[in-house]
Amino acid sequence: MVTNPAPRKHLVLRNANFRALWLSSTVGILGGSVTAIALPIIAAVELGASDFAVAALSGMVFLPWLLFGLPVGVIVDRHRRRPIILISLVLRVLLLATLPVAYWLGVLTTAQLFVVSFLTGLTAVYFTLAEAALIPRAVDREELIEGNGLMTGSGASADAVGRGLGGWLTSAVGASNSLLVQVAASAASFAAILRLKVDEQLPAAPGKRHIWREMGSGLRYTMSTTPLRVLLLVAALWNLGGNIVVSLLVLLVVRTLGQNGTWLGFLMAATALGGTLGGLTVKWLSDRFGSGVVWRFSMFPAAAGYALLLLMTPGWGMLPGFFGLFLTGLAISMNIVVSTSFRQRVCPPDMMGRLGSATRMVSWGMLAVASLAAGVLASTVGVRGGIVTGIVIALLAPVIASFGPLRGVRHLEDLEPEPGPAGDAPEVPCGTAVPVAFPSDPRRVRPEADRTKEAEALLDK
């Protein structure tokens, strides 16, 4: 008699290591979301900072990616990732705690906001790269989209709760006092990582290889294939345009429309709610339509969502912005999951730190550039004019994705090098078999015979 197999347990229940990473990431995002609402409110309301300072402040947390992303990636690849995460969490708690203390003493300044934002952003570089490098070790290769989808979905839920909570707390107890939520969240994240039991072998000693050469190798790998280059360009353009919009949202809500922090938190929570749904449904959509299709077309509705912000008016007229940001969060979370999963599939574990740092140096570095650009735009063409400029730039991303070299790819997984004769994945980082001149049918591209020698030569350059 044929019996149906027992239903498989949820990934969070069956995998203790993934559960530890998932808990740490989720609770950390909740605390970070409160801070994301509180910091610009502190600058705009409690300290009366200029429009440029309010817009530029959100970029300080991403500026370390542009300045230090590559060397931190090398450090992450040279050391065990779990201790790096723990140390970064301790430093984050200490740094953030200085802000409410300074507020209580009456000495808090805009300069301190910028410095603390920058330094906590630097700790986030270590934390994020180490966490991303551990995910492929915590789950099987075929579980990557499921795992990343769960991380994105639950993270977006926590983001929604955190932003709504942050908007309420800034009005109830003050923006500076609400930062204590992230202090507590970082402590809880620390406790979750203590339960992580991933087997990490200490990487081989780097020998005579200099850190600058390893940084260069990571950047070259990131640019070595057409798929990785296109994914990076699309992400950079979207982050540049999209974060101009997000950086100006505070000024649009608080100063142009005269609404309080509660409405700002409400709007930002809508993005996270959409991201929750996107993270939880991306696997189904990828299986049905193809990850390449999801990646290409998800950014069009996301840009349309940003455009709805321009229709907002005070009071209930804020609802178009809520629906728009919900749509943006839904679409972009899908895009992030499929592109991140592709990079994790094609890159070996000992290169994950460098690949992640090089990728984020460019794409997340654009978030810092966007905030500075938003400050300039707010001072020259106004808040609404700046938002229109950001939307136009962001639209370039889906245009390139839809009409560029990857336009014919249905499944990004088809671009992954084939396993070797023994059935194991070849030791070639990041799909180096894909040639620079992209063919008419990318799915037919397969590893060349001498791919391993080419990869080793690339490292030694």
Side-chain angles (χ1 to χ4, degrees), residues 328-413:
T328 298
L330 171 71
I332 288 304
S333 69
M334 295 181 183
N335 185 279
I336 291 172
V337 168
V338 295
S339 58
T340 300
S341 298
F342 173 73
R343 293 189 185 97
Q344 290 172 340
R345 284 179 68 95
V346 301
C347 192
D350 60 353
M351 278 291 296
M352 279 301 302
R354 279 168 284 175
L355 175 68
S357 64
T359 299
R360 291 177 174 90
M361 182 196 73
V362 177
S363 63
W364 288 15
M366 287 298 101
L367 299 175
V369 174
S371 296
L372 296 174
V376 174
L377 289 169
S379 303
T380 54
V381 299
V383 173
R384 292 185 183 274
I387 290 176
V388 171
T389 303
I391 293 171
V392 171
I393 295 172
L395 273 172
L396 295 175
V399 169
I400 290 174
S402 300
F403 299 101
L406 302 188
R407 62 186 178 276
V409 179
R410 182 177 180 184
H411 299 281
L412 292 178
E413 296 81 6

Side-chain angles (χ1 to χ4, degrees), residues 32-33 36 39 55-70 113-125 128 159 163 239-240 242-244 246-247 268 336 357 359-372:
S33 301
L39 286 179
L57 179 60
S58 63
M60 288 301 100
V61 72
F62 298 107
L63 186 58
W65 286 101
L66 192 62
L67 301 179
F68 304 113
L70 285 177
L113 287 182
F114 274 77
V115 171
V116 172
S117 295
F118 179 84
L119 293 178
T120 54
L122 182 57
T123 66
V125 175
T128 304
D159 194 21
R163 291 180 186 275
N239 285 347
L240 177 59
N243 206 50
I244 287 175
V246 173
S247 297
M268 298 298 284
I336 291 172
S357 64
T359 299
R360 291 177 174 90
M361 182 196 73
V362 177
S363 63
W364 288 15
M366 287 298 101
L367 299 175
V369 174
S371 296
L372 296 174

Side-chain angles (χ1 to χ4, degrees), residues 92-112:
R92 181 189 297 177
V93 168
L94 295 176
L95 287 166
L96 287 172
T98 66
L99 294 177
V101 170
Y103 174 73
W104 298 334
L105 297 176
V107 295
L108 182 62
T109 63
T110 303
Q112 185 179 353

Side-chain angles (χ1 to χ4, degrees), residues 3-203:
T3 58
N4 293 326
R8 197 179 189 191
K9 289 183 178 180
H10 194 279
L11 181 59
V12 174
L13 297 178
R14 70 176 184 262
N15 189 321
N17 285 323
F18 176 78
R19 183 165 61 248
L21 288 171
W22 173 76
L23 285 171
S24 171
S25 176
T26 301
V27 73
I29 289 172
L30 186 147
S33 301
V34 173
T35 299
I37 296 295
L39 286 179
I41 295 296
I42 293 172
V45 178
E46 294 183 354
L47 299 179
S50 66
D51 286 356
F52 176 83
V54 174
L57 179 60
S58 63
M60 288 301 100
V61 72
F62 298 107
L63 186 58
W65 286 101
L66 192 62
L67 301 179
F68 304 113
L70 285 177
V72 172
V74 175
I75 293 172
V76 168
D77 279 340
R78 286 184 175 185
H79 298 84
R80 292 189 178 95
R81 282 68 181 258
R82 181 174 176 271
I84 290 176
I85 293 177
L86 294 173
I87 293 171
S88 67
L89 287 170
V90 171
L91 292 176
R92 181 189 297 177
V93 168
L94 295 176
L95 287 166
L96 287 172
T98 66
L99 294 177
V101 170
Y103 174 73
W104 298 334
L105 297 176
V107 295
L108 182 62
T109 63
T110 303
Q112 185 179 353
L113 287 182
F114 274 77
V115 171
V116 172
S117 295
F118 179 84
L119 293 178
T120 54
L122 182 57
T123 66
V125 175
Y126 284 93
F127 177 94
T128 304
L129 291 178
E131 180 189 66
L134 283 177
I135 291 176
R137 291 184 176 271
V139 301
D140 296 332
R141 289 165 60 81
E142 300 306 318
E143 295 175 327
L144 279 172
I145 287 186
E146 181 184 5
N148 283 313
L150 287 171
M151 294 280 277
T152 302
S154 63
S157 297
D159 194 21
V161 173
R163 291 180 186 275
L165 179 63
W168 175 76
L169 286 174
T170 56
S171 300
V173 300
S176 295
N177 290 329
S178 64
L179 295 175
L180 293 174
V181 173
Q182 186 169 10
V183 173
S186 296
S189 183
F190 182 92
I193 292 297
L194 286 177
R195 301 178 65 86
L196 183 66
K197 303 299 181 184
V198 171
D199 182 20
E200 286 195 276
Q201 294 182 351
L202 188 65

